[in-house]
Amino acid sequence: MLPGHVLGGVPLGARDAHHLDRCLTCQAEAAGYRTLRKALVEYRDERVAAPPWFVARVMSLLDRPVPATGGRARVRVLTAVVVAGVAVAVWGRRRLVS
Amino acid sequence: MTSPGVEGSEIESLVNAARNGDVGAFGRLVELHQHEVFGLAVRLVGDREMAADVAQEAMIRAWRALPKFRGDAAFSTWLHRITVNTAWTLRSRSKRNTADPLDEIGDVADTSWLTPERAGEAAMLRDALRMALGRLPEVHRTLVVLKDVEGWTHGEIAETLGISVTAAKVRLHRAHVKLREYLKEEL
């Protein structure tokens, strides 16, 4: 419950608050979460800038054709059909000859 | 977190124009949202080069999906969701997963308004947190970034990641416990 209390502002019940007041282990743990909260605030406030070429690159890629989903699968099925057809034809021819 | 001074109504009219195929309007939207989308991508994947790929792909996916955008959520919220999904997809596809160089991203913090001591402390905390985040499993890092940095609700996180709200809460709790330990070690 300490992460929720320190990081999420969830209030402690009277019993837990009383325990925290007396338990050095839990106080050390709470201090660790307070440091984490501080670090998260610093991390959140950090400004990260996109590279200067970003907009131009995106705009140049907008007219890129949409990848045809299932295209490879269709080629595989067609290939299998052709191979099967050839196999059947060869088998039929052999039967005729024999 | 778009550029300061940009009205919501301007975004709305740009979105409407872009939905009708106005490339120029979409270009302006990319310009206005580039830093927030890139920043989110960097925090999610921890690598500027890969983040650029993620942000770029997210923008292209947004352009293609715009006709389906109904405006139920704000455009930036919608764009952020696309970014998270794109990061998730590209990360799982990537073979560059072995390294997690989260320490590469901290080069643009504006600390000019802080005293040197305060700026030093802030930088130290950020660096330690980056290292600690880099040690978390990807799903835990994503949860921390979305909840604690981006301010998403558990419900929004659960919906986007395809997990239950309870699972999101439990995993976030575990992530916090680990993150506190790792941060202590890094400081």
Side-chain angles (χ1 to χ4, degrees):
Chain A
M1 82 203 55
L2 271 177
H5 172 60
V6 179
L7 297 171
V10 179
L12 285 181
R15 203 173 146 185
D16 293 329
H18 183 69
H19 172 82
L20 184 59
D21 279 345
R22 289 164 186 276
C23 176
L24 292 177
T25 308
C26 288
Q27 284 171 18
E29 202 177 311
Y33 284 116
R34 280 195 291 275
T35 307
L36 174 57
R37 185 180 62 195
K38 209 171 166 184
L40 284 165
V41 169
E42 295 296 348
Y43 188 63
R44 188 182 58 209
D45 290 348
E46 183 180 40
R47 289 191 300 174
V48 181
W53 43 260
F54 182 76
V55 177
R57 182 183 284 185
V58 170
M59 298 315 288
S60 73
L61 292 170
L62 283 190
D63 53 357
R64 193 178 61 175
V66 180
T69 51
R72 284 186 183 178
R74 275 196 295 273
V75 168
R76 274 193 219 114
V77 170
L78 276 174
T79 309
V81 167
V82 170
V83 168
V86 169
V88 167
V90 169
W91 175 75
R93 193 182 160 84
R94 280 186 185 165
R95 279 196 70 182
L96 278 175
V97 169
S98 64
Chain B
M1 209 183 81
T2 47
S3 296
V6 178
E7 298 284 335
S9 57
E10 187 192 340
I11 300 282
E12 204 180 315
S13 57
L14 287 169
V15 169
N16 283 334
R19 282 172 69 179
N20 291 319
D22 184 339
V23 179
F26 186 72
R28 177 80 179 127
L29 286 169
V30 173
E31 204 178 303
L32 291 171
H33 293 86
Q34 58 174 322
H35 301 302
E36 62 185 270
V37 167
F38 181 74
L40 174 58
V42 165
R43 287 179 173 122
L44 289 171
V45 301
D47 173 304
R48 285 184 72 88
E49 195 185 330
M50 190 171 186
D53 290 345
V54 168
Q56 175 186 297
E57 186 63 29
M59 292 294 193
I60 291 164
R61 286 185 187 190
W63 166 249
R64 289 181 184 153
L66 254 180
K68 286 184 265 174
F69 175 62
R70 292 172 302 180
D72 296 339
F75 176 72
S76 62
T77 307
W78 180 74
L79 195 53
H80 285 200
R81 284 185 184 163
I82 293 177
T83 308
V84 174
N85 286 327
T86 308
W88 206 251
T89 312
L90 293 194
R91 282 280 298 191
S92 54
R93 263 192 230 151
S94 171
K95 288 178 181 170
R96 285 182 282 173
N97 251 353
T98 45
D100 250 345
L102 278 170
D103 53 339
E104 286 182 9
I105 67 176
D107 58 349
V108 284
D110 179 11
T111 51
S112 56
W113 56 281
L114 298 173
T115 62
E117 281 169 14
R118 178 76 187 79
E121 189 200 359
M124 187 189 68
L125 273 174
R126 271 196 306 270
D127 289 346
L129 183 66
R130 259 193 290 276
M131 299 300 286
L133 278 170
R135 292 168 64 184
L136 285 181
E138 190 186 351
V139 68
H140 284 180
R141 186 201 310 161
T142 302
L143 282 159
V144 170
V145 169
L146 295 182
K147 183 74 177 74
D148 300 321
V149 182
E150 298 293 322
W152 288 27
T153 63
H154 288 111
E156 288 169 333
I157 294 170
E159 193 189 328
T160 304
L161 299 186
I163 56 177
S164 69
V165 172
T166 308
K169 285 182 181 176
V170 169
R171 288 180 193 181
L172 186 66
H173 174 80
R174 287 184 193 145
H176 283 150
V177 171
K178 279 285 166 206
L179 198 55
R180 179 186 66 88
E181 286 173 23
Y182 293 156
L183 184 66
K184 191 179 172 189
E185 288 167 12
E186 297 294 341
L187 281 170

